[in-house]
PDB file of all heavy atoms in Angstrom:
ATOM      1  N   GLU B  55      -8.849  26.531  -8.674  1.00 61.00           N
ATOM      2  CA  GLU B  55      -7.780  27.286  -9.175  1.00 61.00           C
ATOM      3  C   GLU B  55      -7.005  26.441 -10.065  1.00 61.00           C
ATOM      4  O   GLU B  55      -5.939  26.850 -10.628  1.00 61.00           O
ATOM      5  CB  GLU B  55      -6.864  27.606  -7.953  1.00 61.00           C
ATOM      6  CG  GLU B  55      -7.472  28.867  -7.123  1.00 61.00           C
ATOM      7  CD  GLU B  55      -6.474  29.220  -5.967  1.00 61.00           C
ATOM      8  OE1 GLU B  55      -5.341  28.640  -5.878  1.00 61.00           O
ATOM      9  OE2 GLU B  55      -7.055  29.977  -4.920  1.00 61.00           O
ATOM     10  N   ASN B  56      -7.510  25.178 -10.184  1.00 71.00           N
ATOM     11  CA  ASN B  56      -6.818  24.241 -11.144  1.00 71.00           C
ATOM     12  C   ASN B  56      -5.174  23.957 -10.742  1.00 71.00           C
ATOM     13  O   ASN B  56      -4.612  23.912 -11.724  1.00 71.00           O
ATOM     14  CB  ASN B  56      -6.818  24.787 -12.595  1.00 71.00           C
ATOM     15  CG  ASN B  56      -8.081  24.158 -13.262  1.00 71.00           C
ATOM     16  OD1 ASN B  56      -8.807  23.325 -12.744  1.00 71.00           O
ATOM     17  ND2 ASN B  56      -8.171  24.573 -14.579  1.00 71.00           N
ATOM     18  N   LYS B  57      -5.138  24.024  -9.473  1.00 91.00           N
ATOM     19  CA  LYS B  57      -3.620  23.612  -9.122  1.00 91.00           C
ATOM     20  C   LYS B  57      -3.413  22.161  -9.491  1.00 91.00           C
ATOM     21  O   LYS B  57      -4.219  21.429  -9.428  1.00 91.00           O
ATOM     22  CB  LYS B  57      -3.481  23.740  -7.585  1.00 91.00           C
ATOM     23  CG  LYS B  57      -3.455  25.204  -7.249  1.00 91.00           C
ATOM     24  CD  LYS B  57      -3.150  25.281  -5.663  1.00 91.00           C
ATOM     25  CE  LYS B  57      -3.043  26.735  -5.140  1.00 91.00           C
ATOM     26  NZ  LYS B  57      -2.818  26.707  -3.683  1.00 91.00           N
ATOM     27  N   LYS B  58      -2.198  21.982  -9.890  1.00 95.00           N
ATOM     28  CA  LYS B  58      -1.716  20.611 -10.355  1.00 95.00           C
ATOM     29  C   LYS B  58      -0.481  20.159  -9.680  1.00 95.00           C
ATOM     30  O   LYS B  58       0.514  21.019  -9.459  1.00 95.00           O
ATOM     31  CB  LYS B  58      -1.443  20.644 -11.874  1.00 95.00           C
ATOM     32  CG  LYS B  58      -2.613  21.214 -12.684  1.00 95.00           C
ATOM     33  CD  LYS B  58      -2.269  21.396 -14.201  1.00 95.00           C
ATOM     34  CE  LYS B  58      -3.371  22.035 -14.894  1.00 95.00           C
ATOM     35  NZ  LYS B  58      -3.099  22.365 -16.339  1.00 95.00           N
ATOM     36  N   TYR B  59      -0.319  18.902  -9.314  1.00 94.00           N
ATOM     37  CA  TYR B  59       0.899  18.391  -8.794  1.00 94.00           C
ATOM     38  C   TYR B  59       1.141  17.045  -9.391  1.00 94.00           C
ATOM     39  O   TYR B  59       0.221  16.339  -9.731  1.00 94.00           O
ATOM     40  CB  TYR B  59       0.695  18.106  -7.195  1.00 94.00           C
ATOM     41  CG  TYR B  59       0.558  19.592  -6.496  1.00 94.00           C
ATOM     42  CD1 TYR B  59      -0.701  20.089  -6.090  1.00 94.00           C
ATOM     43  CD2 TYR B  59       1.683  20.272  -6.154  1.00 94.00           C
ATOM     44  CE1 TYR B  59      -0.833  21.209  -5.514  1.00 94.00           C
ATOM     45  CE2 TYR B  59       1.597  21.558  -5.396  1.00 94.00           C
ATOM     46  CZ  TYR B  59       0.364  21.945  -5.104  1.00 94.00           C
ATOM     47  OH  TYR B  59       0.274  23.071  -4.475  1.00 94.00           O
ATOM     48  N   TYR B  60       2.463  16.725  -9.390  1.00 96.00           N
ATOM     49  CA  TYR B  60       2.911  15.428 -10.172  1.00 96.00           C
ATOM     50  C   TYR B  60       3.754  14.743  -9.338  1.00 96.00           C
ATOM     51  O   TYR B  60       4.602  15.234  -8.494  1.00 96.00           O
ATOM     52  CB  TYR B  60       3.601  15.750 -11.457  1.00 96.00           C
ATOM     53  CG  TYR B  60       2.634  16.544 -12.469  1.00 96.00           C
ATOM     54  CD1 TYR B  60       2.623  18.030 -12.538  1.00 96.00           C
ATOM     55  CD2 TYR B  60       1.835  15.828 -13.364  1.00 96.00           C
ATOM     56  CE1 TYR B  60       1.826  18.686 -13.452  1.00 96.00           C
ATOM     57  CE2 TYR B  60       1.084  16.561 -14.314  1.00 96.00           C
ATOM     58  CZ  TYR B  60       1.056  17.861 -14.245  1.00 96.00           C
ATOM     59  OH  TYR B  60       0.260  18.622 -15.166  1.00 96.00           O
ATOM     60  N   ALA B  61       3.753  13.315  -9.474  1.00 96.00           N
ATOM     61  CA  ALA B  61       4.837  12.433  -8.810  1.00 96.00           C
ATOM     62  C   ALA B  61       6.136  12.824  -9.560  1.00 96.00           C
ATOM     63  O   ALA B  61       6.163  13.203 -10.631  1.00 96.00           O
ATOM     64  CB  ALA B  61       4.424  10.981  -8.977  1.00 96.00           C
ATOM     65  N   ASP B  62       7.243  12.644  -8.817  1.00 96.00           N
ATOM     66  CA  ASP B  62       8.467  12.991  -9.400  1.00 96.00           C
ATOM     67  C   ASP B  62       8.843  12.102 -10.518  1.00 96.00           C
ATOM     68  O   ASP B  62       9.469  12.497 -11.491  1.00 96.00           O
ATOM     69  CB  ASP B  62       9.633  12.690  -8.327  1.00 96.00           C
ATOM     70  CG  ASP B  62       9.534  13.729  -7.127  1.00 96.00           C
ATOM     71  OD1 ASP B  62       8.816  14.806  -7.305  1.00 96.00           O
ATOM     72  OD2 ASP B  62      10.180  13.469  -6.096  1.00 96.00           O
ATOM     73  N   SER B  63       8.276  10.874 -10.650  1.00 97.00           N
ATOM     74  CA  SER B  63       8.643   9.987 -11.691  1.00 97.00           C
ATOM     75  C   SER B  63       7.964  10.411 -13.073  1.00 97.00           C
ATOM     76  O   SER B  63       8.342   9.803 -14.062  1.00 97.00           O
ATOM     77  CB  SER B  63       8.036   8.626 -11.310  1.00 97.00           C
ATOM     78  OG  SER B  63       6.679   8.657 -11.095  1.00 97.00           O
ATOM     79  N   VAL B  64       6.987  11.235 -12.958  1.00 98.00           N
ATOM     80  CA  VAL B  64       6.346  11.628 -14.259  1.00 98.00           C
ATOM     81  C   VAL B  64       6.421  13.205 -14.530  1.00 98.00           C
ATOM     82  O   VAL B  64       6.095  13.661 -15.632  1.00 98.00           O
ATOM     83  CB  VAL B  64       4.887  11.345 -14.326  1.00 98.00           C
ATOM     84  CG1 VAL B  64       4.695   9.815 -14.012  1.00 98.00           C
ATOM     85  CG2 VAL B  64       4.023  12.158 -13.307  1.00 98.00           C
ATOM     86  N   LYS B  65       6.830  13.949 -13.553  1.00 97.00           N
ATOM     87  CA  LYS B  65       7.064  15.388 -13.667  1.00 97.00           C
ATOM     88  C   LYS B  65       7.797  15.746 -14.908  1.00 97.00           C
ATOM     89  O   LYS B  65       8.847  15.363 -15.076  1.00 97.00           O
ATOM     90  CB  LYS B  65       7.614  16.017 -12.478  1.00 97.00           C
ATOM     91  CG  LYS B  65       7.393  17.576 -12.323  1.00 97.00           C
ATOM     92  CD  LYS B  65       7.762  17.907 -10.878  1.00 97.00           C
ATOM     93  CE  LYS B  65       7.385  19.448 -10.627  1.00 97.00           C
ATOM     94  NZ  LYS B  65       7.791  19.907  -9.303  1.00 97.00           N
ATOM     95  N   GLY B  66       7.449  16.732 -15.642  1.00 97.00           N
ATOM     96  CA  GLY B  66       8.067  17.157 -16.895  1.00 97.00           C
ATOM     97  C   GLY B  66       7.622  16.371 -18.026  1.00 97.00           C
ATOM     98  O   GLY B  66       7.959  16.798 -19.120  1.00 97.00           O
TER      99      GLY B  66
END
Side-chain angles (χ1 to χ4, degrees):
Chain B
E55 294 180 11
N56 265 358
K57 285 185 179 177
K58 307 171 186 181
Y59 294 95
Y60 299 89
D62 293 345
S63 58
V64 307
K65 195 170 186 178

